[in-house]
Every structure is written in structure tokens, then in C-alpha cells.
Amino acid sequence: MRRLAATAWGLVAASVLVSGCSSGTPQNTGDNSATGSGTLTIGIADDLPGVSLKTDSGYAGFDIDTANYVAGKLGVPTKNITWQRIDQAERVSALTSGKVDLVVSTFSITAEREKEIAFAGPYFVAHQDLLIRRNDDTITGPETLDGKKVCAAAGTTSIDYLTSHYRGKITVVKVPSWSECVRDLAAGTVDAVSTDDLILAGFATQPEYKGVLRVIGKGFTDENYGIGLKQGDDRLEKVRAALKEYISSGAWKKSLDANIAPSGYGIPAPPTVK
């Protein structure tokens, strides 16, 4: 993870006040129209509003749409996808052990992870930020976290950044999922949650946190989301090609407009898939 200045769109996008908007119900793009007989098991999160959320009818959100589109280009119909919920800390091991074929779960591409798995992407660039209680005026950015309890999901680049830059100054509380972090923040047992602004904006605009939580809006890293595969997987180039088509076809923008834009998060220009 590299410390970088947030781009202008990131600052605007992450400055989501809870009272200002509602993310609404996540939208699923439905069947991917593939007609093959192939199957895939895809590792996902199930508790990220707008990104990857379990609903009464299945799963919905930007990551789900991304995975569904790519699966279709691999000849795997939507009905043949097995959605496997995995914790953030389990993403690498789920691939290396063969538990899942792909991981599509706000999975930041890092040199350390690339020693163990392969990535296709990036298909989105987010920025690490801070979620705090709305009436807290003591935290204005990462430099004001001294003596604070900051929650982050175990096994994430958010944890890596906090511990490498603020060791000894803050107490990092590790839990399995971001939804648990956000519940702890609202309950007052931690002072802040730190992860990607895309994720934080989704939580901040949920009805139960309306008027309670807000995003600082000072992104301090770039997080390049990729699709994870096991090293040596011969589908890697096909996944890359599918992501390029996902973006160029307009399906990428359509999913973000449906799932993310209603929260008030500004949709950026697409990244270049490498």
C-alpha cells in the first residue's frame, strides 16, 4: 500500500454525510446471458452495502455485477455460479487452497499478495479513509488518531497501513468483517473505522446509521481493486479481457450508477486494466 494524495474526485466522493442521501436497495444486473455449462465458485463479501450485499433474492452490488459479467465471458451462466462468502483475511488462502476459483471482494492488488496469487485488474480505484461518529470533532484525518481505537477487518491492507504508519499511537481493533467494525463504531466501543471510501460511504448512508456516522473525506491511499486467481490459473488472460470489455461496454458505469452513485459517491473515470 502506498501513501498518495487523494484525487479531487475522491475527496468529493468520500465526503458523504449520513443525513444527505440514501444508498437505497442494491441493484442486481441479473442473468449474464451465458449459455455454457461451466461452473465457478467465487469468493465474495456479503455485508458491504452497494458493493457486495446478501439480499432476500441472493447477492447484489458492484462487485457482484463485476463477478457475474466476468463469469459470463468465461462461459459460466449466472445460475452456475456458487457464491462463497469469505472473510477479508481468508481471501488469499481461499484461492491457494482451491476453496474458490476467483475472489471479487474489494481486493486490493499489492506486491505482497502477488507473491502468492495472481490478479486481473484494476477494475476500480478507491482510497482509504475514516468513518467516525457524526458529532466527533476530534478526528479530522489520520494524523489526529493518537490515542484512538481504530477498527479494521483482519487481513486487509487497511490494517497494514495503520500498523505501519501509526504503530504505538493508536489501538487497532481487528475483527472479521467491516459490518462488525461499523456496529462497534455506532455503539461507541471504537473511535473510527478505516478502510476504502467506497465501502465506508455505503455503510454511512444505511438507514440505521443516518445522522449517526460520517466519512471524513480525506482519502490517503490508492486501493487498486483486482480479481484474485490462483497462480498459474490459465483463465487469467480471459479475466483481464473480460474486465476490459466490462468497462468499455458501459456495463461498469451502469453498475456503479445503480449501486454506488445513489449514496452521493462521485463515480470516477475507469482505470486501465493491466
Side-chain angles (χ1 to χ4, degrees):
M1 181 181 281
R2 296 174 298 147
R3 181 163 185 152
L4 298 169
T7 58
W9 70 262
L11 288 171
V12 173
S15 299
V16 178
L17 292 181
V18 182
S19 60
C21 51
S22 172
S23 62
T25 302
Q27 303 295 311
N28 196 310
T29 53
D31 191 90
N32 61 24
S33 301
T35 58
S37 59
T39 62
L40 279 173
T41 299
I42 303 179
I44 56 168
D46 69 353
D47 62 347
L48 305 181
V51 180
S52 187
L53 188 68
K54 184 173 177 56
T55 70
D56 291 340
S57 58
Y59 297 92
F62 173 58
D63 268 358
I64 301 300
D65 287 347
T66 303
N68 188 32
Y69 187 96
V70 169
K73 296 303 174 182
L74 295 177
V76 179
T78 303
K79 66 180 181 179
N80 288 0
I81 299 172
T82 298
W83 301 105
Q84 178 66 54
R85 181 211 173 272
I86 53 176
D87 288 334
Q88 301 287 292
E90 188 187 2
R91 291 175 295 184
V92 171
S93 63
L95 287 166
T96 58
S97 68
K99 182 178 181 178
V100 301
D101 300 302
L102 308 176
V103 169
V104 187
S105 183
T106 61
F107 204 5
S108 295
I109 301 169
T110 69
E112 192 66 25
R113 286 172 175 164
E114 287 183 311
K115 294 176 183 178
E116 299 184 73
I117 62 170
F119 278 105
Y123 64 89
F124 193 82
V125 181
H127 308 280
Q128 187 170 350
D129 211 316
L130 294 166
L131 184 69
I132 63 174
R133 287 182 288 278
R134 183 182 175 88
N135 60 358
D136 187 343
D137 58 5
T138 67
I139 300 175
T140 58
E143 68 282 354
T144 59
L145 290 174
D146 287 10
K148 303 292 187 180
K149 290 183 178 180
V150 183
C151 191
T156 63
T157 53
S158 303
I159 282 282
D160 295 340
Y161 186 87
L162 292 174
T163 55
S164 65
H165 287 76
Y166 300 99
R167 185 184 301 276
K169 297 180 181 180
I170 64 174
T171 299
V172 176
V173 178
K174 300 180 185 180
V175 299
S177 68
W178 293 115
S179 58
E180 186 173 342
C181 269
V182 176
R183 288 194 297 269
D184 288 347
L185 176 62
T189 57
V190 299
D191 300 301
V193 176
S194 186
T195 189
D196 307 344
D197 51 7
L198 182 73
I199 296 171
L200 296 179
F203 278 114
T205 55
Q206 292 303 287
E208 62 266 42
Y209 302 124
K210 193 171 185 178
V212 177
L213 306 178
R214 65 184 175 93
V215 180
I216 291 289
K218 295 181 179 179
F220 45 91
T221 67
D222 281 357
E223 302 300 325
N224 293 280
Y225 290 172
I227 293 181
L229 302 89
K230 192 172 184 176
Q231 282 188 350
D233 192 319
D234 60 9
R235 293 170 291 195
L236 179 60
E237 290 306 318
K238 290 183 179 179
V239 173
R240 284 199 180 106
L243 285 176
K244 291 177 181 179
E245 186 176 333
Y246 180 51
I247 291 171
S248 65
S249 69
W252 180 87
K253 179 68 159 51
K254 180 179 179 181
S255 178
L256 287 168
D257 283 345
N259 292 292
I260 303 301
S263 73
Y265 189 103
I267 305 303
T272 299
V273 177
K274 299 175 183 177

